[in-house]
Amino acid sequence: MSQNSETRRPDGTHRVAITGMGAISPAGVGVDALWNAVMGRQCCISRIERFDTSEGYSARNAGEVRHFEAGEHGITKKEAHRFERFVQYAIVAADEAVAQSGLNMEEEDATRIGVVIGTGIGGIDELQKGFHTLDTKGPKRVSPLFIPTMIGNIAAGNLAIRYGMKGECLDITTACSTGANSIGCALRDIRHGYIDAALAGGTEESVNPICIAGFGNLGALSKEEDPTQASLPFDLRRAGFVAGEGAGALMLESFEHAQTRGARILAEITGYGSTGDAYHMTAPSPDGEGIARAMRDALEEGGFAPADLGHLNAHGTGTPANDKTESLALRMLCGEKTASQVPVCAVKGTTGHMLGAAGAIEAIVCALSVANDCVPPTTGYAQPDPEAPAHVLTEPLYDYPQKVALSTSLGFGGHNAALAISPYRI
């Protein structure tokens, strides 16, 4: 009997497998497009095309999902008319994840399959349009579908309807840690037997005039004109994040459920940590204690020590404060010497910051990394920052088996999340 034929953890709770993954990102539609762009150090950030930024905007670059036609991806004309972009993105990612998993809902107890898909901002396009209509044309002209089109939970709700999944249906909103917290919530539900499987992840449509204006006026966005130099995680030159959009979805199942139906297990989520800074509305706690604690909790839940850490898929926004905080947290977790040797990657150099979708996209990349015995490079990284020291890769690291890796996320409000992801060895 192989070590992975056991379906339960030592405490009797369920082990949780990833059996399907789906993505739509600035790299394009599909997990393969995302993975190839990340491994190839491709920058998918460019000048915003969706609206005119020539006057009044301090930031003009973003990671847009370009040339997206809903009808080309299994979305009907009626759905495209009724569903905001964040819902459409969630559908595209979820369809890919469900298809890869091979889950057949006609053969399942629908009440045991959940949906936990979050969004940081939700239907911001419809919100902006609705306010404009109200102000210029009056209340009678506001769309009767305004509320069910705009509200953030409607992505999870529409996915549950699409697949007939009748278990727990949730929209987790924790700003930029939304995707990771959604996966963590689904993990706990499955681990403790409330459901057998769940579609989990995050989605976002944040490349929008009011979002870019608001983040820009907050001073959070990079003002760099060159798109290839705008998102620079951990780099000395970093000066803010670049907004991105899209969705990431993972099909999670208990090992027992996955093995019973003969599903292929892609990787295992072995732990989850979720903490709060209780410090500031937008800034991470500079001591790094909150995210370090989440990282430690995730490792310990999986039965790992810091010395077992194969690599860190960092939140890595490219803001001065975030990257410095994560660097400090890694040193707190592992000690100065070990932390200097742990490979670090940050996906946002490729995609920009996909906000509520970021944690899900990064969990997918982390799962592929441990499954393929490699660590991706960080697009844009060139100049180390002595105040944020980290072993950030500029080239892919191959032939590198790992016991466990961490994917971290931090959100406005002091939300911290860490997912421990391990390879599945037969």
Side-chain angles (χ1 to χ4, degrees):
M1 181 179 290
S2 74
Q3 63 176 351
N4 278 312
S5 63
E6 297 294 338
T7 61
R8 301 282 182 130
R9 290 155 35 90
D11 63 2
T13 57
H14 292 277
R15 294 172 66 185
V16 177
I18 301 171
T19 59
M21 299 187 291
I24 177 170
S25 72
V29 175
V31 168
D32 286 347
L34 170 68
W35 180 245
N36 291 337
V38 170
M39 290 298 286
R41 293 196 79 202
Q42 179 182 347
C43 179
C44 301
I45 294 163
S46 57
R47 187 60 60 91
I48 294 171
E49 294 182 353
R50 189 166 290 127
F51 56 93
D52 184 9
T53 60
S54 60
E55 293 198 17
Y57 291 91
S58 61
R60 297 182 174 86
N61 296 311
E64 290 180 293
V65 175
R66 296 185 181 277
H67 313 301
F68 176 71
E69 295 292 339
E72 297 177 0
H73 304 287
I75 298 172
T76 67
K77 288 185 179 179
K78 182 178 180 181
E79 289 171 333
H81 176 70
R82 290 192 168 197
F83 297 165
E84 271 285 77
R85 282 188 294 130
F86 81 105
V87 177
Q88 295 180 33
Y89 293 159
I91 287 172
V92 172
D95 279 356
E96 183 182 16
V98 172
Q100 184 181 34
S101 76
L103 188 75
N104 184 349
M105 286 302 298
E106 293 182 359
E107 299 174 354
E108 297 293 334
D109 177 354
T111 66
R112 300 285 301 170
I113 313 295
V115 178
V116 188
I117 296 284
T119 180
I121 294 175
I124 193 69
D125 285 354
E126 182 67 16
L127 187 66
Q128 183 171 326
K129 184 171 69 175
F131 281 133
H132 179 72
T133 299
L134 178 66
D135 289 343
T136 59
K137 298 181 179 181
K140 293 294 185 182
R141 298 295 297 275
V142 173
S143 169
L145 293 177
F146 170 72
I147 297 298
T149 300
M150 172 271 299
I151 50 178
N153 69 294
I154 210 67
N158 276 314
L159 290 177
I161 293 167
R162 187 176 185 84
Y163 308 117
M165 297 174 175
K166 298 183 178 181
E168 188 169 50
C169 183
L170 294 176
D171 163 35
I172 305 294
T173 300
T174 51
C176 306
S177 59
T178 290
N181 282 133
S182 297
I183 294 167
C185 179
L187 169 77
R188 287 177 174 171
D189 284 343
I190 297 168
R191 192 179 297 299
H192 294 286
Y194 296 109
I195 52 178
D196 296 324
L199 190 58
T203 184
E204 205 73 90
E205 60 173 55
S206 56
V207 184
N208 160 281
I210 201 166
C211 282
I212 299 301
F215 278 128
N217 293 344
L218 182 64
L221 298 181
S222 169
K223 299 176 183 178
E224 172 61 48
E225 290 289 330
D226 181 352
T228 67
Q229 301 299 304
S231 183
L232 303 174
F234 292 95
D235 194 284
L236 179 65
R237 300 164 295 159
R238 69 190 187 279
F241 75 82
V242 174
E245 62 179 358
L250 293 83
M251 196 71 222
L252 307 183
E253 304 181 48
S254 69
F255 264 55
E256 183 176 321
H257 186 267
Q259 291 181 355
T260 296
R261 69 180 189 87
R264 178 185 172 217
I265 295 175
L266 307 175
E268 179 178 0
I269 302 186
T270 43
Y272 169 53
S274 179
T275 65
D277 283 343
Y279 171 74
H280 190 270
M281 192 163 64
T282 59
S285 179
D287 62 11
E289 186 276 333
I291 186 59
R293 182 158 38 94
M295 294 161 73
R296 185 174 294 107
D297 288 348
L299 288 176
E300 289 180 354
E301 182 178 310
F304 299 106
D308 296 319
L309 181 60
H311 84 275
L312 172 65
N313 189 311
H315 190 54
T317 59
T319 60
N322 177 94
D323 300 2
K324 186 175 180 179
T325 296
E326 284 197 276
S327 173
L328 177 58
L330 183 60
R331 300 198 302 275
M332 290 175 65
L333 178 73
C334 298
E336 201 80 34
K337 181 178 180 181
T338 301
S340 68
Q341 300 169 346
V342 173
V344 173
C345 70
V347 174
K348 293 177 179 67
T350 291
T351 63
H353 189 354
M354 294 170 64
L355 304 180
I361 288 291
E362 288 152 16
I364 289 169
V365 171
C366 190
L368 288 170
S369 300
V370 298
N372 291 290
D373 297 335
C374 64
V375 181
T378 294
T379 302
Y381 178 80
Q383 296 183 28
D385 180 0
E387 294 190 2
H391 181 32
V392 181
L393 301 184
T394 57
E395 297 294 334
L397 177 61
Y398 294 108
D399 300 319
Y400 182 69
Q402 303 165 68
K403 293 180 181 179
V404 64
L406 286 172
S407 185
T408 52
S409 296
L410 292 77
F412 280 3
H415 306 284
N416 304 300
L419 296 167
I421 302 177
S422 298
Y424 177 70
R425 312 287 189 196
I426 298 177

mmCIF file of all heavy atoms in Angstrom, residues 7-40:
data_model
loop_
_atom_site.group_PDB
_atom_site.id
_atom_site.type_symbol
_atom_site.label_atom_id
_atom_site.label_comp_id
_atom_site.label_asym_id
_atom_site.label_seq_id
_atom_site.Cartn_x
_atom_site.Cartn_y
_atom_site.Cartn_z
ATOM 1 N N THR A 7 -6.767 7.663 3.057
ATOM 2 C CA THR A 7 -7.656 8.784 2.761
ATOM 3 C C THR A 7 -7.847 9.710 3.956
ATOM 4 O O THR A 7 -8.457 10.768 3.804
ATOM 5 C CB THR A 7 -9.031 8.270 2.318
ATOM 6 O OG1 THR A 7 -9.615 7.507 3.386
ATOM 7 C CG2 THR A 7 -8.907 7.396 1.076
ATOM 8 N N ARG A 8 -7.357 9.303 5.125
ATOM 9 C CA ARG A 8 -7.557 10.111 6.337
ATOM 10 C C ARG A 8 -6.228 10.572 6.912
ATOM 11 O O ARG A 8 -5.187 9.928 6.758
ATOM 12 C CB ARG A 8 -8.302 9.299 7.394
ATOM 13 C CG ARG A 8 -9.673 8.791 6.956
ATOM 14 C CD ARG A 8 -10.712 9.879 7.003
ATOM 15 N NE ARG A 8 -12.040 9.406 6.633
ATOM 16 C CZ ARG A 8 -13.138 9.620 7.331
ATOM 17 N NH1 ARG A 8 -13.083 10.305 8.473
ATOM 18 N NH2 ARG A 8 -14.305 9.168 6.908
ATOM 19 N N ARG A 9 -6.288 11.686 7.608
ATOM 20 C CA ARG A 9 -5.149 12.199 8.346
ATOM 21 C C ARG A 9 -5.060 11.503 9.697
ATOM 22 O O ARG A 9 -6.005 10.833 10.115
ATOM 23 C CB ARG A 9 -5.330 13.719 8.535
ATOM 24 C CG ARG A 9 -5.181 14.526 7.271
ATOM 25 C CD ARG A 9 -5.902 15.856 7.292
ATOM 26 N NE ARG A 9 -5.916 16.499 8.593
ATOM 27 C CZ ARG A 9 -4.991 17.351 9.026
ATOM 28 N NH1 ARG A 9 -3.948 17.641 8.249
ATOM 29 N NH2 ARG A 9 -5.101 17.919 10.200
ATOM 30 N N PRO A 10 -3.932 11.662 10.404
ATOM 31 C CA PRO A 10 -3.789 11.000 11.713
ATOM 32 C C PRO A 10 -4.902 11.328 12.707
ATOM 33 O O PRO A 10 -5.253 10.510 13.554
ATOM 34 C CB PRO A 10 -2.433 11.511 12.215
ATOM 35 C CG PRO A 10 -1.656 11.779 10.967
ATOM 36 C CD PRO A 10 -2.668 12.300 9.983
ATOM 37 N N ASP A 11 -5.494 12.526 12.589
ATOM 38 C CA ASP A 11 -6.560 12.891 13.518
ATOM 39 C C ASP A 11 -7.938 12.406 13.068
ATOM 40 O O ASP A 11 -8.959 12.711 13.697
ATOM 41 C CB ASP A 11 -6.595 14.414 13.733
ATOM 42 C CG ASP A 11 -6.902 15.191 12.453
ATOM 43 O OD1 ASP A 11 -7.136 14.567 11.395
ATOM 44 O OD2 ASP A 11 -6.918 16.438 12.511
ATOM 45 N N GLY A 12 -7.980 11.661 11.971
ATOM 46 C CA GLY A 12 -9.231 11.102 11.491
ATOM 47 C C GLY A 12 -9.966 11.946 10.479
ATOM 48 O O GLY A 12 -10.949 11.494 9.878
ATOM 49 N N THR A 13 -9.525 13.179 10.263
ATOM 50 C CA THR A 13 -10.189 14.037 9.283
ATOM 51 C C THR A 13 -9.744 13.687 7.867
ATOM 52 O O THR A 13 -8.737 13.006 7.660
ATOM 53 C CB THR A 13 -9.898 15.523 9.556
ATOM 54 O OG1 THR A 13 -8.469 15.726 9.545
ATOM 55 C CG2 THR A 13 -10.465 15.942 10.904
ATOM 56 N N HIS A 14 -10.498 14.167 6.901
ATOM 57 C CA HIS A 14 -10.250 13.823 5.507
ATOM 58 C C HIS A 14 -9.045 14.555 4.920
ATOM 59 O O HIS A 14 -8.861 15.750 5.158
ATOM 60 C CB HIS A 14 -11.474 14.182 4.655
ATOM 61 C CG HIS A 14 -12.675 13.354 4.935
ATOM 62 N ND1 HIS A 14 -12.881 12.108 4.380
ATOM 63 C CD2 HIS A 14 -13.759 13.592 5.726
ATOM 64 C CE1 HIS A 14 -14.031 11.614 4.799
ATOM 65 N NE2 HIS A 14 -14.582 12.498 5.622
ATOM 66 N N ARG A 15 -8.272 13.830 4.129
ATOM 67 C CA ARG A 15 -7.306 14.482 3.266
ATOM 68 C C ARG A 15 -8.041 15.089 2.081
ATOM 69 O O ARG A 15 -9.086 14.585 1.652
ATOM 70 C CB ARG A 15 -6.261 13.484 2.767
ATOM 71 C CG ARG A 15 -5.377 12.928 3.873
ATOM 72 C CD ARG A 15 -4.484 11.810 3.368
ATOM 73 N NE ARG A 15 -3.499 12.289 2.398
ATOM 74 C CZ ARG A 15 -2.664 11.478 1.731
ATOM 75 N NH1 ARG A 15 -2.729 10.163 1.910
ATOM 76 N NH2 ARG A 15 -1.788 11.976 0.890
ATOM 77 N N VAL A 16 -7.530 16.190 1.559
ATOM 78 C CA VAL A 16 -8.248 16.926 0.511
ATOM 79 C C VAL A 16 -7.378 17.029 -0.741
ATOM 80 O O VAL A 16 -6.243 17.524 -0.692
ATOM 81 C CB VAL A 16 -8.668 18.322 1.010
ATOM 82 C CG1 VAL A 16 -9.355 19.112 -0.107
ATOM 83 C CG2 VAL A 16 -9.607 18.198 2.211
ATOM 84 N N ALA A 17 -7.936 16.585 -1.845
ATOM 85 C CA ALA A 17 -7.241 16.543 -3.124
ATOM 86 C C ALA A 17 -7.712 17.642 -4.053
ATOM 87 O O ALA A 17 -8.867 18.078 -3.997
ATOM 88 C CB ALA A 17 -7.469 15.186 -3.786
ATOM 89 N N ILE A 18 -6.808 18.065 -4.925
ATOM 90 C CA ILE A 18 -7.175 18.901 -6.067
ATOM 91 C C ILE A 18 -7.328 17.957 -7.257
ATOM 92 O O ILE A 18 -6.393 17.237 -7.617
ATOM 93 C CB ILE A 18 -6.093 19.941 -6.385
ATOM 94 C CG1 ILE A 18 -5.833 20.857 -5.188
ATOM 95 C CG2 ILE A 18 -6.482 20.772 -7.606
ATOM 96 C CD1 ILE A 18 -4.622 21.764 -5.370
ATOM 97 N N THR A 19 -8.505 17.942 -7.877
ATOM 98 C CA THR A 19 -8.733 17.061 -9.023
ATOM 99 C C THR A 19 -9.015 17.818 -10.314
ATOM 100 O O THR A 19 -9.087 17.208 -11.381
ATOM 101 C CB THR A 19 -9.904 16.103 -8.742
ATOM 102 O OG1 THR A 19 -11.088 16.866 -8.470
ATOM 103 C CG2 THR A 19 -9.595 15.186 -7.560
ATOM 104 N N GLY A 20 -9.169 19.127 -10.223
ATOM 105 C CA GLY A 20 -9.394 19.920 -11.418
ATOM 106 C C GLY A 20 -9.006 21.366 -11.176
ATOM 107 O O GLY A 20 -9.151 21.869 -10.065
ATOM 108 N N MET A 21 -8.522 22.040 -12.220
ATOM 109 C CA MET A 21 -8.141 23.442 -12.113
ATOM 110 C C MET A 21 -8.526 24.175 -13.393
ATOM 111 O O MET A 21 -8.427 23.620 -14.489
ATOM 112 C CB MET A 21 -6.639 23.584 -11.864
ATOM 113 C CG MET A 21 -6.158 22.928 -10.570
ATOM 114 S SD MET A 21 -4.425 23.249 -10.165
ATOM 115 C CE MET A 21 -3.585 22.318 -11.461
ATOM 116 N N GLY A 22 -8.947 25.417 -13.232
ATOM 117 C CA GLY A 22 -9.314 26.229 -14.384
ATOM 118 C C GLY A 22 -8.923 27.674 -14.169
ATOM 119 O O GLY A 22 -8.913 28.164 -13.040
ATOM 120 N N ALA A 23 -8.626 28.380 -15.254
ATOM 121 C CA ALA A 23 -8.167 29.764 -15.126
ATOM 122 C C ALA A 23 -8.503 30.577 -16.361
ATOM 123 O O ALA A 23 -8.542 30.055 -17.486
ATOM 124 C CB ALA A 23 -6.658 29.808 -14.891
ATOM 125 N N ILE A 24 -8.769 31.839 -16.132
ATOM 126 C CA ILE A 24 -8.767 32.851 -17.185
ATOM 127 C C ILE A 24 -8.045 34.055 -16.596
ATOM 128 O O ILE A 24 -8.343 34.481 -15.476
ATOM 129 C CB ILE A 24 -10.185 33.205 -17.671
ATOM 130 C CG1 ILE A 24 -10.125 34.329 -18.725
ATOM 131 C CG2 ILE A 24 -11.122 33.558 -16.529
ATOM 132 C CD1 ILE A 24 -11.445 34.567 -19.432
ATOM 133 N N SER A 25 -7.065 34.545 -17.296
ATOM 134 C CA SER A 25 -6.165 35.552 -16.742
ATOM 135 C C SER A 25 -5.659 36.451 -17.863
ATOM 136 O O SER A 25 -5.969 36.218 -19.041
ATOM 137 C CB SER A 25 -4.983 34.860 -16.048
ATOM 138 O OG SER A 25 -4.105 34.291 -17.024
ATOM 139 N N PRO A 26 -4.875 37.465 -17.531
ATOM 140 C CA PRO A 26 -4.267 38.270 -18.594
ATOM 141 C C PRO A 26 -3.405 37.451 -19.557
ATOM 142 O O PRO A 26 -3.129 37.910 -20.673
ATOM 143 C CB PRO A 26 -3.434 39.290 -17.819
ATOM 144 C CG PRO A 26 -4.180 39.454 -16.531
ATOM 145 C CD PRO A 26 -4.668 38.079 -16.201
ATOM 146 N N ALA A 27 -3.008 36.249 -19.146
ATOM 147 C CA ALA A 27 -2.244 35.375 -20.036
ATOM 148 C C ALA A 27 -3.133 34.706 -21.077
ATOM 149 O O ALA A 27 -2.627 34.153 -22.054
ATOM 150 C CB ALA A 27 -1.505 34.314 -19.216
ATOM 151 N N GLY A 28 -4.451 34.718 -20.844
ATOM 152 C CA GLY A 28 -5.384 34.089 -21.775
ATOM 153 C C GLY A 28 -6.325 33.128 -21.070
ATOM 154 O O GLY A 28 -6.396 33.080 -19.840
ATOM 155 N N VAL A 29 -7.015 32.352 -21.855
ATOM 156 C CA VAL A 29 -7.979 31.397 -21.318
ATOM 157 C C VAL A 29 -7.300 30.049 -21.099
ATOM 158 O O VAL A 29 -6.652 29.516 -21.993
ATOM 159 C CB VAL A 29 -9.184 31.231 -22.273
ATOM 160 C CG1 VAL A 29 -10.130 30.146 -21.766
ATOM 161 C CG2 VAL A 29 -9.920 32.553 -22.420
ATOM 162 N N GLY A 30 -7.449 29.517 -19.885
ATOM 163 C CA GLY A 30 -6.931 28.190 -19.593
ATOM 164 C C GLY A 30 -5.723 28.184 -18.686
ATOM 165 O O GLY A 30 -4.935 29.141 -18.640
ATOM 166 N N VAL A 31 -5.576 27.083 -17.966
ATOM 167 C CA VAL A 31 -4.442 26.903 -17.065
ATOM 168 C C VAL A 31 -3.134 26.833 -17.837
ATOM 169 O O VAL A 31 -2.110 27.363 -17.397
ATOM 170 C CB VAL A 31 -4.648 25.645 -16.199
ATOM 171 C CG1 VAL A 31 -3.363 25.261 -15.471
ATOM 172 C CG2 VAL A 31 -5.774 25.863 -15.187
ATOM 173 N N ASP A 32 -3.158 26.184 -18.996
ATOM 174 C CA ASP A 32 -1.919 26.066 -19.784
ATOM 175 C C ASP A 32 -1.381 27.434 -20.183
ATOM 176 O O ASP A 32 -0.158 27.670 -20.136
ATOM 177 C CB ASP A 32 -2.160 25.220 -21.039
ATOM 178 C CG ASP A 32 -2.295 23.739 -20.734
ATOM 179 O OD1 ASP A 32 -1.964 23.331 -19.601
ATOM 180 O OD2 ASP A 32 -2.734 22.989 -21.625
ATOM 181 N N ALA A 33 -2.262 28.340 -20.585
ATOM 182 C CA ALA A 33 -1.826 29.686 -20.968
ATOM 183 C C ALA A 33 -1.181 30.390 -19.778
ATOM 184 O O ALA A 33 -0.134 31.054 -19.915
ATOM 185 C CB ALA A 33 -3.005 30.498 -21.499
ATOM 186 N N LEU A 34 -1.788 30.259 -18.611
ATOM 187 C CA LEU A 34 -1.240 30.860 -17.391
ATOM 188 C C LEU A 34 0.122 30.265 -17.065
ATOM 189 O O LEU A 34 1.103 30.995 -16.824
ATOM 190 C CB LEU A 34 -2.212 30.622 -16.236
ATOM 191 C CG LEU A 34 -1.712 30.975 -14.832
ATOM 192 C CD1 LEU A 34 -1.522 32.473 -14.678
ATOM 193 C CD2 LEU A 34 -2.680 30.439 -13.764
ATOM 194 N N TRP A 35 0.200 28.949 -17.033
ATOM 195 C CA TRP A 35 1.434 28.258 -16.651
ATOM 196 C C TRP A 35 2.571 28.586 -17.611
ATOM 197 O O TRP A 35 3.701 28.863 -17.189
ATOM 198 C CB TRP A 35 1.182 26.760 -16.591
ATOM 199 C CG TRP A 35 2.349 25.908 -16.214
ATOM 200 C CD1 TRP A 35 2.981 24.980 -16.987
ATOM 201 C CD2 TRP A 35 3.037 25.874 -14.945
ATOM 202 N NE1 TRP A 35 4.012 24.384 -16.292
ATOM 203 C CE2 TRP A 35 4.058 24.914 -15.036
ATOM 204 C CE3 TRP A 35 2.871 26.581 -13.750
ATOM 205 C CZ2 TRP A 35 4.923 24.635 -13.983
ATOM 206 C CZ3 TRP A 35 3.738 26.301 -12.696
ATOM 207 C CH2 TRP A 35 4.743 25.343 -12.821
ATOM 208 N N ASN A 36 2.291 28.557 -18.911
ATOM 209 C CA ASN A 36 3.329 28.845 -19.896
ATOM 210 C C ASN A 36 3.848 30.276 -19.769
ATOM 211 O O ASN A 36 5.047 30.536 -19.913
ATOM 212 C CB ASN A 36 2.804 28.604 -21.310
ATOM 213 C CG ASN A 36 2.563 27.136 -21.600
ATOM 214 O OD1 ASN A 36 3.154 26.261 -20.964
ATOM 215 N ND2 ASN A 36 1.683 26.844 -22.548
ATOM 216 N N ALA A 37 2.933 31.209 -19.480
ATOM 217 C CA ALA A 37 3.346 32.606 -19.328
ATOM 218 C C ALA A 37 4.209 32.789 -18.091
ATOM 219 O O ALA A 37 5.233 33.491 -18.127
ATOM 220 C CB ALA A 37 2.117 33.510 -19.255
ATOM 221 N N VAL A 38 3.827 32.168 -16.993
ATOM 222 C CA VAL A 38 4.594 32.289 -15.747
ATOM 223 C C VAL A 38 5.961 31.650 -15.899
ATOM 224 O O VAL A 38 6.995 32.259 -15.544
ATOM 225 C CB VAL A 38 3.817 31.659 -14.574
ATOM 226 C CG1 VAL A 38 4.694 31.560 -13.332
ATOM 227 C CG2 VAL A 38 2.563 32.481 -14.251
ATOM 228 N N MET A 39 6.005 30.438 -16.426
ATOM 229 C CA MET A 39 7.286 29.743 -16.568
ATOM 230 C C MET A 39 8.186 30.422 -17.598
ATOM 231 O O MET A 39 9.414 30.343 -17.515
ATOM 232 C CB MET A 39 7.050 28.281 -16.956
ATOM 233 C CG MET A 39 6.452 27.445 -15.835
ATOM 234 S SD MET A 39 7.507 27.332 -14.361
ATOM 235 C CE MET A 39 8.777 26.193 -14.931
ATOM 236 N N GLY A 40 7.584 31.120 -18.559
ATOM 237 C CA GLY A 40 8.360 31.791 -19.596
ATOM 238 C C GLY A 40 8.691 33.233 -19.278
ATOM 239 O O GLY A 40 9.179 33.959 -20.150
#
